[in-house]
Amino acid sequence: MKYFVLFFLLTWTATAAFSQQASVSGRINAEGRNLEMASVMLAPTNIATMCDTMGHYSINNIEPGIYTLKASAVGFGAYSKRITLKAGEHLQLDITLNPEATTMNEVVVTGTMKAMSRTESPIPVEVFTPKFFQKNPSPCLFESVGMINGVRPQLNCNVCNTGDIHINGMEGPYTMILIDGMPIVSALSTVYGLSGIPNSIVERVEVVKGPAASLYGSEAMGGIINVITKNPAKAPAVSVDVMGTTWQEYNVDAAVRINTGKAQSLTGINFFNYNQVIDNNNDGFTDLTLQKRISLFNKWSFERKDSRIASIGLRYVNEDRWGGQTNWNKLWRGSDSIYGESVYTNRWELIGAYQLPVKEKIMLQLSYNWHKQDSWYGFTPYNANQQVAFAQLYWDKQIGTAHMLLLGGSYRYTYYDDNTPATADANGTKNQPSRTPLPGIFIQDEWRLGDKHKLLTGYRYDYDKHHGNIHSPRIAYKFSPDINNTFRLSFGTGFRVVNLFTEDHAALTGARQVVIAEELKPERSYNSNLNYALNIPTSGGKIGLDVTAFYSYFTNKIIGDFDTDPNKIIYDNLRGHAISKGVSLNTDISFAFPFKIMAGVTYQDVYQMERNAAGKLQRIVQLHAPKWSGNFALTYTFPQNFMVDLTGQFNGPMRLPVQRNDYRPEYSPWFLIGNIQITKKFARGWELYGGIKNLFNFVPKYALMRPFDPFDKHINDPVNNPNGYTFDTEYNYASLQGIRGFLGVRYNLYK
């Protein structure tokens, strides 16, 4: 009996104690709709939860007391509220998050190689989440970044549809593309490596416009695109995105998270297939390159003592693409009868990060990529192999309350071999693969001069076996008079050790002969940027403005000469100087009702002043660099979780490569590519979307020169070809795809 009484007393005591605990619950909404995937935390405890697909959250069994309830979601501003919970109380608290597709409060790493709030960074960094790119869904990241103001994917060939990414009018070789801060996509892979990054594994994309050689070394002259992959511990358990278009393009993007205790794994797959021969302009050639691509990604993160970082990732990409005459098949690969451009790509990538088990914060980063390419451009073969090994060790140290020191060293080794003059000896008779070791050391000090002022100084030293000692200093200053105004001013230098392949993909199409006129020297530039960010909170919403003026002066720049001879691309050092200057404006407007506007415009003037045969400086406008360009994304959310997105990009006239006495205009017209999408969100993580791309059906008037004679067998015909035109694939400023519909479905499971 006494045991029964004791049991009763213990049970009653526990029940009474439990009944005195508190709880809090509610819904999280944004843009007039319930928000899924938001996280809620009760500080200073470690109690946290995640809302369900209808935006509902609940935290129970809370001891009475004073807490801070915090809520956050990717792509939205953070929420924080101080609450007092009494014994037995249940608090109903609904939360509204402000949409911030390019939020100023997000953590960024690219500008300074250190994680910090975007508002605190002395280097302006633009941040874009998958939510932003989903406003106009694309099967690959190469197309998606075209939604960013000042960033332009440039197709360099109308047949194989390969290209690179221009920032502020500067060619692709000046854009450094990082994955998790490491130079995975560079040189040869700038043309092909971006196509296979699964969107399902991308957490955010950070963009820095302007040189960053003092931290990242060679290639970071025009800007940086850093693809940050998801942390497996925070990714959805399952995510799937399937999309198809009326052109019969099919894309599958999926990822699965696995938790094994102290290790979490994220496995992603991207499969893209387009196998329809379409020739709407009736020139006998495919309007869009046929492609079959598969990309596999696996990343592991490990729990360690004191939350030290340890992760490793592996990606494999295999792609088979071809474009050409509509009756081409693989039997004609390499022949001179039916023209086709066929590209086989195999690629492996390995990335890893490890924080050393010491008191100080010392990070080790490693990466390796292997890229094999087997291509035919008509009857011209291009076979290449590239391997890049990279290692970096840096020390992140807080000194007092004012200084944040970064000290490190890196080593990058690039092996490159192909069957072109790029890897031939001086006589052109013997193959000499390029082996380029590039060691470097860097130091950076971020000095807080007060609540409103911050000064960043940096210096990098690299040594190249051909070009010797390379010095890259940088200085940046940030002034924030209040929370809504920020000024940033920076000066620095940039350099690039030349890799000929990346100069222009047109060099390998078979239409032109590559001529290296002299030994190519490293490219050097001096740069300045002035940025002003303004936030205007109003009773009816929020207005954000971001203005940047940029100026770069090149003392040497390697530019392909298309003008001297229509059958050649001539590479030599710049005899004069080159300038890239301009100004860009971004706006982000949110209203009290569920409507949001994001828009931007860029004016740029990119040219070189080069001495002609008479020794006088001559102004030459850069190819594929429109003076005016811009983008917009308008979003309205209706009740019942319906959303409409209207997006678009516009470009002003840009100079194009033309032949002598060419009937095609030297400058492209103004054009706009508009898109519309309707999205419906359902319970339990389901999402249905569809719309129209290229809403106004814009297609370039001119594409190929002499498509009926792609092997130039009949160019020496004074009657039918009096101007001596040759087959040409480089006259390109927009896709030949016209209007098309698309439909897709997404699913995300969090648990």
Side-chain angles (χ1 to χ4, degrees), residues 112-114 215 361 394-397 404-408 442-446 457 459:
T112 60
M113 208 180 288
K114 298 161 66 71
L215 273 186
K361 185 178 181 180
Y394 65 86
W395 177 37
D396 185 354
K397 176 67 175 178
M404 296 283 289
L405 184 69
L406 194 72
L407 177 65
F442 57 89
I443 185 171
Q444 175 182 275
D445 179 32
E446 187 182 330
T457 56
Y459 169 78

Side-chain angles (χ1 to χ4, degrees), residues 339 341 377-380 505-513 710 712 727:
Y339 189 88
E341 297 187 1
Y377 301 91
F379 57 79
T380 301
H505 177 67
L508 302 169
T509 62
R512 294 175 184 256
Q513 176 189 357
D712 288 338
F727 176 64

Side-chain angles (χ1 to χ4, degrees), residues 52-99:
D52 61 22
T53 57
M54 299 307 293
H56 182 266
Y57 76 94
S58 178
I59 301 178
N60 302 309
N61 304 331
I62 308 171
E63 293 292 334
I66 300 174
Y67 301 93
T68 300
L69 188 71
K70 298 181 178 181
S72 62
V74 175
F76 296 86
Y79 171 92
S80 180
K81 182 177 178 64
R82 190 176 179 87
I83 60 175
T84 300
L85 296 176
K86 300 178 181 179
E89 179 184 10
H90 173 74
L91 177 62
Q92 178 70 26
L93 180 61
D94 293 336
I95 297 171
T96 299
L97 297 183
N98 294 320

Side-chain angles (χ1 to χ4, degrees), residues 32-342:
R33 61 184 175 86
N34 295 327
L35 186 65
E36 59 183 345
M37 301 180 294
S39 60
V40 182
M41 179 180 178
L42 201 63
T45 74
N46 292 322
I47 302 174
T49 188
M50 185 169 287
C51 65
D52 61 22
T53 57
M54 299 307 293
H56 182 266
Y57 76 94
S58 178
I59 301 178
N60 302 309
N61 304 331
I62 308 171
E63 293 292 334
I66 300 174
Y67 301 93
T68 300
L69 188 71
K70 298 181 178 181
S72 62
V74 175
F76 296 86
Y79 171 92
S80 180
K81 182 177 178 64
R82 190 176 179 87
I83 60 175
T84 300
L85 296 176
K86 300 178 181 179
E89 179 184 10
H90 173 74
L91 177 62
Q92 178 70 26
L93 180 61
D94 293 336
I95 297 171
T96 299
L97 297 183
N98 294 320
E100 299 283 358
T102 55
T103 177
M104 296 294 292
N105 296 319
E106 287 193 275
V107 174
V108 297
V109 296
T110 308
T112 60
M113 208 180 288
K114 298 161 66 71
M116 65 174 61
S117 166
R118 187 182 170 205
T119 56
E120 288 296 312
S121 174
I123 305 298
V125 181
E126 298 180 36
V127 182
F128 301 90
T129 69
K131 290 290 183 184
F132 174 76
F133 297 122
Q134 287 173 3
K135 295 177 183 295
N136 179 33
S138 299
C140 66
L141 197 61
F142 176 80
E143 295 179 26
S144 297
V145 296
M147 296 179 63
I148 302 173
N149 181 32
V151 179
R152 185 173 186 275
Q154 171 59 43
L155 294 178
N156 294 324
C157 175
N158 269 321
V159 176
C160 62
N161 286 165
T162 53
D164 50 25
I165 296 176
H166 295 199
I167 295 181
N168 289 341
M170 297 179 63
E171 306 93 312
Y174 304 103
T175 300
M176 172 171 273
I177 300 171
L178 309 172
I179 297 182
D180 289 339
M182 285 169 275
I184 290 293
V185 184
S186 61
L188 178 63
S189 60
T190 55
V191 177
Y192 304 99
L194 270 185
S195 297
I197 297 179
N199 291 326
S200 60
I201 60 100
V202 176
E203 177 180 304
R204 67 184 187 275
V205 175
E206 298 182 3
V207 178
V208 175
K209 297 173 183 175
S214 65
L215 273 186
Y216 296 98
S218 178
E219 297 180 33
M221 295 184 75
I224 294 174
I225 297 177
N226 190 5
V227 181
I228 309 295
T229 61
K230 291 179 179 178
N231 182 344
K234 299 179 180 179
V238 178
S239 65
V240 180
D241 191 338
V242 180
M243 184 181 75
T245 74
T246 54
W247 273 51
Q248 299 186 50
E249 302 164 277
Y250 301 105
N251 185 74
V252 178
D253 209 343
V256 177
R257 185 194 72 206
I258 299 174
N259 192 334
T260 61
K262 290 191 175 183
Q264 294 82 34
S265 170
L266 179 65
T267 301
I269 181 172
N270 172 257
F271 176 74
F272 177 75
N273 184 63
Y274 171 68
N275 197 36
Q276 297 299 311
V277 175
I278 296 178
D279 179 24
N280 288 335
N281 62 1
N282 298 315
D283 63 0
F285 274 69
T286 53
D287 291 344
L288 179 66
T289 303
L290 283 71
Q291 301 174 53
K292 182 179 292 184
R293 178 179 65 247
I294 187 167
S295 175
L296 302 173
F297 176 86
N298 183 235
K299 181 179 181 180
W300 287 83
S301 64
F302 305 91
E303 294 182 14
R304 299 177 60 209
K305 184 180 178 181
D306 298 326
S307 300
R308 293 191 180 99
I309 297 171
S311 66
I312 188 169
L314 181 68
R315 184 170 77 109
Y316 171 70
V317 182
N318 178 276
E319 184 182 68
D320 177 2
R321 67 164 66 198
W322 76 268
Q325 292 180 287
T326 55
N327 58 339
W328 185 92
N329 60 54
K330 291 184 179 181
L331 296 176
W332 300 105
R333 197 171 192 260
S335 76
D336 64 352
S337 299
I338 300 177
Y339 189 88
E341 297 187 1
S342 174

Side-chain angles (χ1 to χ4, degrees), residues 501-719:
F501 176 87
T502 65
E503 303 314 311
D504 201 300
H505 177 67
L508 302 169
T509 62
R512 294 175 184 256
Q513 176 189 357
V514 177
V515 176
I516 305 173
E518 59 184 337
E519 182 180 355
L520 302 179
K521 299 177 181 179
E523 298 178 276
R524 298 303 305 261
S525 68
Y526 299 90
N527 322 277
S528 62
N529 285 272
L530 176 61
N531 172 261
Y532 172 56
L534 170 65
N535 183 47
I536 307 174
T538 68
S539 59
K542 180 184 73 70
I543 301 175
L545 298 175
D546 191 288
V547 185
T548 301
F550 55 91
Y551 183 90
S552 294
Y553 182 96
F554 289 80
T555 57
N556 188 41
K557 191 176 183 183
I558 308 301
I559 302 169
D561 178 3
F562 288 77
D563 302 322
T564 302
D565 189 327
N567 295 308
K568 297 178 180 178
I569 301 178
I570 302 172
Y571 294 110
D572 58 3
N573 297 302
L574 182 64
R575 290 169 173 80
H577 63 270
I579 289 176
S580 171
K581 61 183 179 180
V583 61
S584 67
L585 168 66
N586 290 313
T587 61
D588 187 344
I589 306 174
S590 299
F591 297 89
F593 56 97
F595 182 53
K596 183 177 179 64
I597 299 175
M598 298 177 63
V601 62
T602 296
Y603 170 81
Q604 60 196 14
D605 191 13
V606 186
Y607 61 93
Q608 59 261 20
M609 300 296 294
E610 190 156 14
R611 299 190 183 279
N612 56 22
K616 295 183 178 181
L617 287 175
Q618 179 181 3
R619 179 186 169 105
I620 303 173
V621 177
Q622 176 60 48
L623 294 170
H624 299 116
K627 282 197 171 183
W628 290 97
S629 63
N631 70 321
F632 61 86
L634 313 179
T635 301
Y636 190 90
T637 303
F638 293 89
Q640 306 301 321
N641 288 321
F642 268 104
M643 183 185 300
V644 176
D645 293 296
L646 182 64
T647 60
Q649 302 86 39
F650 67 87
N651 287 276
M654 68 186 80
R655 182 171 171 259
L656 302 170
V658 294
Q659 301 185 24
R660 295 173 184 172
N661 303 312
D662 205 322
Y663 60 87
R664 301 171 299 181
E666 185 178 6
Y667 284 83
S668 64
W670 284 85
F671 67 93
L672 167 68
I673 305 296
N675 318 283
I676 189 169
Q677 175 183 250
I678 299 175
T679 304
K680 166 64 177 175
K681 287 183 175 291
F682 299 91
R684 300 181 181 178
W686 289 97
E687 203 172 301
L688 182 67
Y689 62 92
I692 300 174
K693 289 178 177 287
N694 198 352
L695 192 59
F696 306 109
N697 197 28
F698 176 80
V699 177
K701 182 178 179 181
Y702 302 99
L704 302 175
M705 171 71 82
R706 291 179 61 82
F708 51 85
D709 186 23
F711 295 100
D712 288 338
K713 293 181 178 180
H714 306 289
I715 60 172
N716 298 317
D717 185 345
V719 176

